[in-house]
Amino acid sequence: GDSVTQMEGPVTLSEEAFLTINCTYTATGYPSLFWYVQYPGEGLQLLLKATKADDKGSNKGFEATYRKETTSFHLEKGSVQVSDSAVYFCALSESGNTGKLIFGQGTTLQVKP
Amino acid sequence: EAQVTQNPRYLITVTGKKLTVTCSQNMNHEYMSWYRQDPGLGLRQIYYSMNVEVTDKGDVPEGYKVSRKEKRNFPLILESPSPNQTSLYFCASSPNDLSQPQHFGDGTRLSIL
């Protein structure tokens, strides 16, 4: 079945450092891909998405590009802030609108001043 | 305000005592879903529903039941809870087009003793 794999955390960075969180997936067809963020004590909220190959999703300085050839959707940000400290989840919705959503394990990001 | 509301937010109970976690959304979404979040495992889908009276199993449905009698409500029922169902639970909703993002509730932390 479809699956999502994220890099292990936690990731600890200094403020203004460059961030990459790797995400790769296994899926048939053309799933939609998402990054969600979870702040402490809260539910998940959408950070960005891409629905077809070569699409780039972006929001709040974060970017991710849907790479069909490498089955990847890596999250990047050029300069992180302390307020970016959170858990980040990569996810896909199966093609064909089956109703199934699959999440990665989550990566905890801690940004230090 | 658009929201997904879960109740209770916290519950400590004992093995075998039936419980229900309610979920309600005010966005007229067709799709609703339940997830559990466990350390190192990310979010795993329990059940989902693509419309009233239509429910399907996700990846970890054992020990859970759901119903979808009305569009806005999607309760999660644990008929005979066991300690391995101790977890953080999230309800989410979206339009039926799953390339659209999910809207998540704030979570319910269940402890089964």
Side-chain angles (χ1 to χ4, degrees), chain A residues 99-100, chain B residues 34 44-48 56-62:
Chain A
K100 285 205 161 185
Chain B
W34 276 103
R44 292 178 293 167
Q45 195 172 34
I46 303 171
Y47 271 95
Y48 61 94
D56 283 290
K57 295 178 181 178
D59 289 326
V60 288
E62 296 79 18

Side-chain angles (χ1 to χ4, degrees), chain B residues 34-95:
Chain B
W34 276 103
Y35 304 88
R36 59 177 290 173
Q37 181 179 5
D38 300 290
L41 298 176
L43 270 75
R44 292 178 293 167
Q45 195 172 34
I46 303 171
Y47 271 95
Y48 61 94
S49 168
M50 297 193 80
N51 218 325
V52 176
E53 302 291 1
V54 179
T55 62
D56 283 290
K57 295 178 181 178
D59 289 326
V60 288
E62 296 79 18
Y64 304 95
K65 285 175 57 177
V66 292
S67 68
R68 188 88 184 275
K69 295 188 172 67
E70 312 163 274
K71 200 172 191 179
R72 63 182 291 125
N73 295 323
F74 190 46
L76 179 71
I77 303 154
L78 285 71
E79 293 269 4
S80 183
S82 63
N84 64 11
Q85 293 177 299
T86 292
S87 186
L88 179 58
Y89 291 85
F90 287 100
C91 180
S93 74
S94 73

Side-chain angles (χ1 to χ4, degrees), chain A:
Chain A
D2 293 3
S3 65
V4 174
T5 303
Q6 287 180 238
M7 63 187 287
E8 295 273 343
V11 174
T12 302
L13 295 173
S14 298
E15 211 165 19
E16 299 184 3
F18 185 86
L19 168 71
T20 300
I21 300 178
N22 290 338
C23 172
T24 57
Y25 68 91
T26 304
T28 53
Y30 296 89
S32 294
L33 301 174
F34 306 87
W35 277 101
Y36 284 88
V37 59
Q38 183 181 34
Y39 298 103
E42 297 183 11
L44 281 71
Q45 52 187 278
L46 179 72
L47 183 59
L48 53 84
K49 70 170 188 176
T51 57
K52 60 183 189 297
D54 300 324
D55 265 4
K56 178 187 279 189
S58 61
N59 186 25
K60 299 181 183 179
F62 290 90
E63 293 183 340
T65 301
Y66 189 144
R67 301 280 188 207
K68 184 73 174 169
E69 64 277 11
T70 54
T71 62
S72 65
F73 192 54
H74 305 321
L75 183 68
E76 296 182 335
K77 186 176 185 183
S79 176
V80 294
Q81 305 301 312
V82 172
S83 57
D84 294 327
S85 298
V87 182
Y88 293 81
F89 290 93
C90 185
L92 69 82
S93 66
E94 289 188 341
S95 60
N97 218 42
T98 63
K100 285 205 161 185
L101 277 111
I102 297 162
F103 286 79
Q105 310 94 304
T107 301
T108 299
L109 170 66
Q110 185 177 24
V111 181
K112 297 188 172 179

